[in-house]
Amino acid sequence: MSIWWSLHLRREAASVPLARRLLLGTMETAGVDPDICYDLSVALSEACANAVEHGGDAATEDYRVTAYIDGDTCRIEVTDSGPGFQAGTVPPAPPHTADRALAPAPVPTPAYAEEGRGLFLIEALTDHVRYRNRTGRPGAVVSFDKILKWREGAALPMAS
């Protein structure tokens, strides 16, 4: 059995906890291990916060979040309508961590900074990250996968 959902959200700060709560509720109901739920919810929050902050100009009011739980993997995609990523701004990361051909250049962040850690957190909390520009229109897509662990007696694996 698999589960997927997609949200079309306004580029407002209030949309970030909404997406996070829906993801947490879905994973908890399916029986995903609480540590995995937490990691994915933080990664999703960071990706949504980036879409809200960088995902367009005043005329672009929305972004999309899609989550798929299929088998033992969860994939999340956050798509915005902003300027997208500039090609070749980052050297490739190790193959198991990210596909960063179009990723924004990470700038070292001071230890006391409250911003600038989103992409680093997404990469640290998930198993595979991909950054790409939308095809045929402005915007960026950040997608990430995580292998799921299940609680004892979890609903989703038993339904397969």
Side-chain angles (χ1 to χ4, degrees):
M1 176 187 255
S2 60
I3 299 172
W4 73 271
W5 52 260
S6 187
L7 296 172
H8 190 113
L9 299 164
R10 291 173 89 42
R11 282 187 46 239
E12 299 173 350
S15 68
V16 177
L18 174 66
R20 181 179 176 140
R21 285 187 199 118
L22 181 58
L23 179 68
L24 279 170
T26 302
M27 290 190 303
E28 288 170 357
T29 301
V32 176
D33 176 82
D35 290 338
I36 301 295
C37 292
Y38 178 78
D39 289 351
L40 280 169
S41 70
V42 172
L44 175 62
S45 295
E46 293 298 334
C48 290
N50 284 343
V52 168
E53 185 172 344
H54 306 292
D57 54 25
T60 342
E61 298 181 353
D62 61 343
Y63 69 103
R64 182 174 304 273
V65 175
T66 306
Y68 310 87
I69 297 175
D70 190 19
D72 287 336
T73 304
C74 180
R75 168 169 285 171
I76 297 173
E77 294 183 356
V78 178
T79 305
D80 66 41
S81 301
F85 298 116
Q86 295 181 17
T89 57
V90 168
H96 68 283
T97 58
D99 173 1
R100 296 175 55 160
L102 295 173
V107 176
T109 305
Y112 56 83
E114 293 185 17
E115 294 182 343
R117 292 189 172 93
L119 297 178
F120 293 108
L121 282 171
I122 294 168
E123 290 178 16
L125 295 170
T126 63
D127 297 320
H128 181 262
V129 180
R130 181 169 184 219
Y131 307 99
R132 63 183 171 86
N133 288 326
R134 294 174 68 180
T135 306
R137 60 176 126 169
V141 179
V142 175
S143 62
F144 46 93
D145 301 341
K146 183 132 178 115
I147 303 297
L148 301 176
K149 295 178 189 168
W150 302 96
R151 291 188 325 253
E152 184 79 24
L156 192 61
M158 295 167 73
S160 297

